[in-house]
Amino acid sequence: MHSLRIRRGYYPLIRPSKSPGNFVPLRFAATVTSPDASILNETTLARDEEGTTTEQGSFFVETVLPARYAEWDVRNWIYQAQASRTAAHIKEIFSKTDIYGFKVLSVESTPKDGGIFVNFGFTPPPNVNPKDAIKEIEAKVRKDINSKGGIDAWHGLGKADFHRVKGRPWNEDLSVFPTNILKIEFEGPDVHQELLYDIIRPYGRITSMTKPTPVPAGTLRFVTVTFSRIRPAILAKNCLYGIGVADTTLSSAGTSNSATKTRLVFTYERPLKAHWIRDWMSSHPRIVLPIVAFLLGGVTYTIFDPIRSFFIKSKRLFTDWRIVRFFKKNIFQRLSFNIVPSLGSTSAKDGAGTSGEVSASEAIGSPDKKSPPSSIAAAAAGEWKERQDAQQALLMYLVDEPSTIAVIHGPQGSGKSKMLAEVLSMTSQLSATSSDSSTPEPRKTIVIDCTEIYKAGTDSGIVSSLASQTGYWPMFSFLGSMNNLIDLASVGLIGQKAGFSTTVEEQMKEILEVTAGALAQVSTDLKTKIEKEKKANPSKSKPTIVVPRPLTTQSSTTEKIEDGSQQDVGAAVIDGKEEGKEGSIITKAMSTSVTAVSSSVSAVGSAVQSGVAGASHEFQGLLGKAGLSGSGDTSEGGKDDIDWALSAHTPGGIPRILDPCVNALPVVILSGFAAKNSGKKEDLLDVVSGWAASLVENKVAHVIVISDNKENVRRLAKALPSKPLLSLSLGDADPATALAFVRGKISSLGPVQLTQEDEAWVEKLGGRASDLDSLIHKVQNGLSVKDAVQTIVTQGVGELRKAAFGDDADDAKDLPWKPEQAWIVLRQLAKHDELSYAEVLFEFPFKGDEAALRAMEHAELISIVTSDGFPIAIRPGKPIYRYVFQRLVNDNIFRAVQDITYNNKAIAAEEATIKKCEEELLTLKTIGLEVGSSIFGGTGAAGSRASYLLDKMRASQEKIVAKEKEVKKLKVVLSTMGVEPPKA
């Protein structure tokens, strides 16, 4: 049955056939559209084997096999073996129909579309149209199949159906899988949308259909049809592919236009266009960039941070894991290069030994047992009281819960690192004694050398240095520049940064936060282990008593070395190699055992044990209240219930109990905190300071800072404002200790003895380890002690002139102090051993400028002596500097130039004072006239103030006259020497 459709459109004037002279305007034209009539050649003619001409066609049986919707669809692989049986079964079912000589010629499966083509042939009578015959055949086959139960679908949940193929089927296996969208190309003129709809609508509901759009030359025009489901698209594609369509239009006169044939080509269209995600992301950067940043942060937090925490613990803290030891021994150490530096790095920079463990003595640089003790910090018998007090205070800090930050400051070579190594080893001995263990367990330590951070020239170098020292890995440093480029691009796209790039401070905070988490986990694991041991062995869970008795020192101590000989420690107490190398010593790989310093511990321990044996009855009572026994065998080979420890003074003489859980806390050591070459990287110290304060406040770890001076300690105090810092100061060696060191070193060169004159020159050199080491090297090169000391002084003069006054005027402007300020301090220290800090600070030329004094201390020109945290005195930066100052002051030309500069500045200051007094006197004169009094009469407040100003002007004028006379004399001195005096 034909369907009549009215197509709306405007046509030009049409000439009717009967009246050529009249033109009738038509606004509508009638079109008769018949889908079946428009389809051409639904069957084909062919000859069979007997030579009879027959018609051939095809049926498409759907859902007898699973359709393949993607490359990874495994259903097709599972049912592949069933395809041949299904095809044979379909052929058997269709072959049972007998009409018009119906005969199944072949069956062909389409695994991708989940169907089977049934190709058949028939011979209709001459009076029967082949199109009508094939419809009758379809109805008869359908009736026969339904009468026998139909065709089962592949999933067994329903029946399959078949449809007549009207086109030329194309069975292909391209990687274009079925979708609900079909692209229909026109090989010929365009087919009207109404006709195309009528052709494909019987196979399923259509949700949308596009119109043909202009295409480049040589490209077929097409439309896109979207079905509600994939099944109708499969049917339409297999039943209509290659169909020929003739669009016949009837004019208003009833005549038919010439038929035009168009071949339709059906292909599946992917629902998602290629690169549509990329295109959408590039067109919506305001939405995409924040989401990507959030996802990257989430991935880093959930995946990489636990890995980084593991490597931090494996490198610095928990290298006794079996899996770590296995990989280090069997994989990483056998490679020619170290893939994972965090595991088993043997470099000096990393500070890990071959075993991978980092003990307390390793991390701080304990003396190797193979080398004789030649350091000032290794002399147990030659220690001075200042060092003893610092050692005791540091030990008591480590055996208590962390409440503040300990700062060890002192000049280079003063043995800061060595003392810290000894104290940490003592805490390990205490832990072993309290746990009845013969082997001391090293205290877990992590060392951060700030000097290495300062040396990095770039931002990425700074972050990499910190990550390397903490064991933070993996680290994607190459992403830093990429993130910066993304932010620059986002500024051009959305007008603001996307937030991918981060500053150096933020990256350092991220590394330190992960490190803090690893430290917290370490302490928690150790505490859990200790609690389990206590429950398993309650008899061995006695606390350790730190006995409050004074430290006993001996005049000499001998230490056994490997070859069996003995060496007097007092004869070699200063290690000159420690000069300026606190950071390198801290990170130097040493032996894993802490027995290297056990001799010094035992020397002190014997005195402490004797003190325990002779404790008073009052102390015995305190032990009884604590649930401990104060009696026991303290002789050699006996074991007292009270474990001995290094004695320390405590308020009121109350003993302190060593909690094993406190000893389980890691120790964080910040070395080189006051490096000179920090430069513009000083802001990074604020990040480290804040991190150190958070560790202490959260009771995560003990924090110990090693610094050459107290210049940067204020950053720590600012980060921890509520609690005072524990400041431990180490100075130079006393004259006797320094002389003993030099005598021991020189005696090792041969039969050379120091004369009284040589000893006097050594005393002038002082106890700075760096200067003593330089002296020994010069004597080894053939110089006498006198010539070596004078050479050191001469070198110090040149270095001091450059450091304090600069090479020229432009260089002096960049100094953080004025030349007259440096000169007045140097001139006074050349006469006196120390100066009053308050007098220097409030007199000219400082006038309260404390920053200049602190800067001079940071440059090691001077050292500021403190008492209870307050500065009280000023001393030379090095002992030898007093003689260097004297050499500078005795230089007539240099002294005259500096005195002229100083006097000119003083004259200018006094003139400014006189000018201010004159201005105030003019004001007072006006005030005095108004109240009826005269400033010369001296009556009233104005007169009193005027008298004070006049006296002040008189004093300033007298100073100006004296300074000008001195300047004239100094200029005469310079003129006689042919030197031009400096300008005022």
Side-chain angles (χ1 to χ4, degrees):
M1 181 177 180
H2 298 284
S3 61
L4 181 63
R5 293 183 179 271
I6 304 298
R7 179 176 299 158
R8 186 175 181 84
Y10 182 79
Y11 293 88
L13 296 178
I14 298 176
R15 184 188 303 270
S17 58
K18 294 183 179 180
S19 53
N22 299 328
F23 292 90
V24 180
L26 298 178
R27 298 191 60 86
F28 298 97
T31 304
V32 178
T33 304
S34 176
D36 292 338
S38 301
I39 298 176
L40 305 177
N41 300 330
E42 189 172 348
T43 60
T44 58
L45 291 175
R47 294 182 181 273
D48 57 11
E49 298 177 355
E50 299 176 355
T52 305
T53 302
T54 61
E55 297 284 345
Q56 292 184 1
S58 300
F59 291 132
F60 178 73
V61 186
E62 59 169 335
T63 66
V64 291
L65 295 173
R68 190 177 183 183
Y69 296 136
E71 191 74 36
W72 44 263
D73 194 343
V74 298
R75 299 177 304 167
N76 186 266
W77 301 339
I78 297 175
Y79 287 89
Q80 187 173 8
Q82 188 179 351
S84 58
R85 295 195 301 268
T86 303
H89 179 65
I90 294 297
K91 183 176 182 181
E92 181 182 358
I93 293 175
F94 277 82
S95 299
K96 295 180 180 180
T97 302
D98 184 13
I99 182 175
Y100 296 137
F102 177 81
K103 182 181 180 181
V104 176
L105 302 178
S106 64
V107 293
E108 184 178 359
S109 62
T110 58
K112 188 172 65 174
D113 292 331
I116 293 179
F117 286 108
V118 178
N119 302 318
F120 61 89
F122 65 97
T123 306
N127 58 347
V128 179
N129 190 346
K131 289 185 177 182
D132 297 333
I134 198 171
K135 292 179 182 179
E136 295 179 12
I137 293 173
E138 181 181 5
K140 184 65 168 61
V141 171
R142 189 180 304 276
K143 180 179 178 181
D144 294 342
I145 292 177
N146 291 336
S147 64
K148 296 179 182 180
I151 305 174
D152 295 330
W154 70 273
H155 45 69
L157 301 179
K159 298 298 181 179
D161 197 3
F162 67 94
H163 302 268
R164 187 171 74 253
V165 177
K166 300 179 181 180
R168 298 294 182 267
W170 180 33
N171 190 5
E172 41 81 18
D173 59 351
L174 301 176
S175 295
V176 181
F177 302 102
T179 63
N180 64 328
I181 303 175
L182 285 179
K183 178 181 178 182
I184 305 176
E185 295 178 312
F186 301 139
E187 293 184 357
D190 294 347
V191 178
H192 292 292
Q193 191 175 20
E194 294 87 343
L195 179 58
L196 187 61
Y197 176 85
D198 291 337
I199 294 174
I200 62 179
R201 177 59 180 86
Y203 299 100
R205 182 176 177 272
I206 300 173
T207 58
S208 65
M209 179 185 297
T210 62
K211 294 183 178 181
T213 57
V215 295
T219 305
L220 299 178
R221 290 164 63 86
F222 64 90
V223 296
T224 302
V225 179
T226 304
F227 292 88
S228 59
R229 294 183 300 165
I230 299 179
R231 174 181 170 273
I234 294 177
L235 293 176
K237 188 258 184 184
N238 287 277
C239 295
L240 299 177
Y241 186 91
I243 188 175
V245 179
D247 192 359
T248 305
T249 303
L250 296 179
S251 64
S252 59
T255 60
S256 175
N257 296 331
S258 59
T260 56
K261 181 180 179 180
T262 301
R263 184 173 179 266
L264 304 182
V265 179
F266 292 76
T267 55
Y268 295 117
E269 188 75 5
R270 294 170 54 183
L272 301 180
K273 299 294 184 180
H275 310 301
W276 75 273
I277 297 179
R278 182 187 64 186
D279 297 339
W280 186 88
M281 292 176 62
S282 61
S283 59
H284 298 81
R286 292 179 180 268
I287 301 175
V288 173
L289 293 180
I291 293 176
V292 172
F294 174 78
L295 293 177
L296 290 178
V299 169
T300 302
Y301 180 78
T302 57
I303 298 178
F304 290 108
D305 282 359
I307 298 175
R308 291 161 176 165
S309 178
F310 169 81
F311 279 104
I312 290 173
K313 291 184 290 184
S314 66
K315 178 179 181 180
R316 291 299 186 189
L317 302 170
F318 259 180
T319 53
D320 54 349
W321 289 338
R322 288 185 177 181
I323 185 66
V324 175
R325 293 200 305 266
F326 174 79
F327 278 106
K328 283 164 50 181
K329 181 179 180 180
N330 296 281
I331 298 179
F332 300 113
Q333 292 182 358
R334 295 187 181 184
L335 298 179
S336 59
F337 58 95
N338 198 351
I339 299 177
V340 184
S342 302
L343 295 175
S345 178
T346 58
S347 63
K349 183 178 179 180
D350 291 338
T354 56
S355 64
E357 293 193 12
V358 180
S359 63
S361 55
E362 281 181 328
I364 312 301
S366 63
D368 196 340
K369 195 174 182 180
K370 296 181 180 179
S371 60
S374 59
S375 172
I376 192 172
E383 291 177 340
W384 53 101
K385 185 178 183 301
E386 182 186 48
R387 180 181 177 83
Q388 294 175 8
D389 295 340
Q391 194 176 40
Q392 293 170 357
L394 183 60
L395 177 64
M396 300 315 299
Y397 169 76
L398 290 175
V399 299
D400 198 357
E401 288 188 354
S403 59
T404 185
I405 300 174
V407 181
I408 305 175
H409 61 90
Q412 295 180 0
S414 58
K416 301 184 293 294
S417 302
K418 188 61 190 177
M419 186 197 72
L420 180 56
E422 291 180 354
V423 174
L424 288 174
S425 300
M426 291 175 188
T427 60
S428 301
Q429 292 282 355
L430 292 177
S431 176
T433 307
S434 63
S435 61
D436 254 351
S437 176
S438 60
T439 303
E441 182 178 356
R443 189 77 180 264
K444 305 301 180 181
T445 58
I446 182 169
V447 183
I448 298 178
D449 190 359
C450 298
T451 306
E452 297 296 329
I453 299 177
Y454 299 144
K455 290 179 181 179
T458 60
D459 294 346
S460 61
I462 293 173
V463 178
S464 300
S465 176
L466 180 60
S468 175
Q469 294 186 64
T470 57
Y472 184 90
W473 188 90
M475 178 184 167
F476 309 104
S477 57
F478 64 92
L479 294 178
S481 57
M482 186 181 301
N483 292 335
N484 292 331
L485 294 176
I486 293 176
D487 272 352
L488 290 176
S490 65
V491 171
L493 292 174
I494 63 178
Q496 62 183 6
K497 291 185 177 181
F500 280 91
S501 63
T502 55
T503 61
V504 182
E505 290 79 5
E506 293 175 349
Q507 297 181 50
M508 290 183 62
K509 287 181 181 178
E510 180 182 353
I511 295 175
L512 294 176
E513 286 176 359
V514 176
T515 305
L519 292 173
Q521 188 174 356
V522 165
S523 60
T524 302
D525 295 342
L526 289 178
K527 290 178 181 179
T528 304
K529 179 181 178 182
I530 293 172
E531 293 297 333
K532 291 181 179 180
E533 292 178 353
K534 285 183 178 180
K535 293 180 180 179
N537 301 311
S539 60
K540 295 184 179 181
S541 59
K542 296 181 180 180
T544 303
I545 298 298
V546 180
V547 185
R549 292 184 60 85
L551 179 66
T552 303
T553 58
Q554 302 175 0
S555 59
S556 64
T557 300
T558 58
E559 177 175 297
K560 185 80 65 177
I561 56 179
E562 281 192 348
D563 58 359
S565 62
Q566 293 185 351
Q567 182 173 349
D568 185 7
V569 180
V573 295
I574 299 179
D575 185 5
K577 295 181 180 180
E578 196 180 9
E579 173 189 0
K581 296 182 180 179
E582 258 80 6
S584 61
I585 292 177
I586 287 176
T587 57
K588 187 178 180 181
M590 306 295 290
S591 173
T592 59
S593 175
V594 296
T595 58
V597 294
S598 60
S599 59
S600 60
V601 177
S602 60
V604 180
S606 60
V608 177
Q609 285 183 342
S610 62
V612 173
S616 62
H617 293 288
E618 179 183 358
F619 183 64
Q620 298 290 341
L622 292 173
L623 295 180
K625 292 180 181 180
L628 300 173
S629 175
S631 62
D633 182 15
T634 57
S635 61
E636 184 178 357
K639 180 67 178 176
D640 197 335
D641 290 337
I642 306 173
D643 300 315
W644 63 267
L646 180 64
S647 63
H649 295 286
T650 56
I654 301 176
R656 305 178 63 135
I657 298 178
L658 177 60
D659 187 359
C661 293
V662 175
N663 194 61
L665 294 175
V667 179
V668 176
I669 302 168
L670 303 178
S671 173
F673 198 73
K676 295 181 181 179
N677 56 346
S678 58
K680 297 181 180 179
K681 303 182 180 68
E682 291 184 354
D683 293 339
L684 305 179
L685 293 179
D686 294 333
V687 177
V688 180
S689 301
W691 176 69
S694 66
L695 293 179
V696 172
E697 290 177 342
N698 298 325
K699 310 294 183 182
V700 174
H702 291 92
V703 179
I704 301 175
V705 177
I706 300 178
S707 175
D708 292 341
N709 52 56
K710 297 181 63 177
E711 176 65 21
N712 289 329
V713 175
R714 68 179 188 275
R715 301 180 185 273
L716 296 170
K718 183 179 179 181
L720 195 66
S722 60
K723 298 177 182 178
L725 302 178
L726 177 60
S727 180
L728 306 175
S729 177
L730 295 182
D732 299 312
D734 55 8
T737 305
L739 187 60
F741 167 74
V742 175
R743 186 184 293 111
K745 287 291 186 180
I746 292 180
S747 62
S748 63
L749 300 178
V752 180
Q753 299 295 331
L754 291 179
T755 63
Q756 292 184 353
E757 182 183 3
D758 293 338
E759 293 179 355
W761 282 105
V762 173
E763 291 180 358
K764 288 184 178 181
L765 192 61
R768 181 61 55 88
S770 57
D771 294 335
L772 293 176
D773 182 63
S774 178
L775 171 66
I776 297 301
H777 284 296
K778 287 178 171 34
V779 172
Q780 289 177 348
N781 293 332
L783 293 178
S784 63
V785 175
K786 177 181 178 180
D787 294 339
V789 174
Q790 289 181 347
T791 302
I792 294 174
V793 172
T794 303
Q795 293 176 353
V797 170
E799 295 174 358
L800 187 65
R801 289 186 62 172
K802 180 178 180 179
F805 304 98
D807 293 330
D808 49 26
D810 294 335
D811 193 12
K813 293 179 181 179
D814 298 332
L815 296 175
W817 57 82
K818 298 177 182 179
E820 59 271 16
Q821 292 175 333
W823 172 247
I824 193 63
V825 173
L826 268 59
R827 190 176 66 180
Q828 294 182 10
L829 285 176
K831 301 177 182 179
H832 308 283
D833 292 337
E834 66 178 24
L835 306 175
S836 173
Y837 183 84
E839 291 180 2
V840 174
L841 178 62
F842 295 108
E843 291 295 333
F844 179 83
F846 289 95
K847 293 293 184 180
D849 186 9
E850 190 174 9
L853 287 174
R854 293 296 181 183
M856 294 172 66
E857 181 192 24
H858 187 62
E860 294 187 355
L861 300 179
I862 61 174
S863 62
I864 299 177
V865 182
T866 60
S867 177
D868 297 331
F870 296 96
I872 58 173
I874 298 175
R875 295 176 183 174
K878 294 181 180 180
I880 192 63
Y881 271 5
R882 182 181 179 186
Y883 301 97
V884 174
F885 295 163
Q886 292 177 356
R887 180 78 64 86
L888 280 176
V889 172
N890 293 333
D891 188 345
N892 294 330
I893 297 178
F894 184 78
R895 184 181 71 249
V897 172
Q898 296 301 325
D899 282 342
I900 290 175
T901 302
Y902 172 78
N903 290 332
N904 288 334
K905 296 294 183 181
I907 292 172
E910 298 299 335
E911 289 178 347
T913 300
I914 293 175
K915 186 175 182 180
K916 291 181 180 179
C917 293
E918 291 174 348
E919 293 175 354
E920 188 172 354
L921 285 174
L922 293 176
T923 304
L924 292 176
K925 180 179 179 181
T926 305
I927 296 176
L929 293 176
E930 291 178 351
V931 298
S933 61
S934 173
I935 60 174
F936 300 102
T939 58
S944 300
R945 179 64 178 173
S947 299
Y948 167 77
L949 293 175
L950 290 173
D951 293 339
K952 191 174 182 180
M953 290 177 62
R954 186 180 299 107
S956 297
Q957 181 60 29
E958 291 176 356
K959 292 180 181 179
I960 291 175
V961 173
K963 296 293 183 183
E964 287 181 348
K965 290 181 180 180
E966 186 177 353
V967 168
K968 289 181 181 179
K969 293 180 181 179
L970 294 172
K971 289 183 178 180
V972 172
V973 173
L974 291 178
S975 62
T976 56
M977 297 181 180
V979 179
E980 183 179 356
K983 298 181 180 179

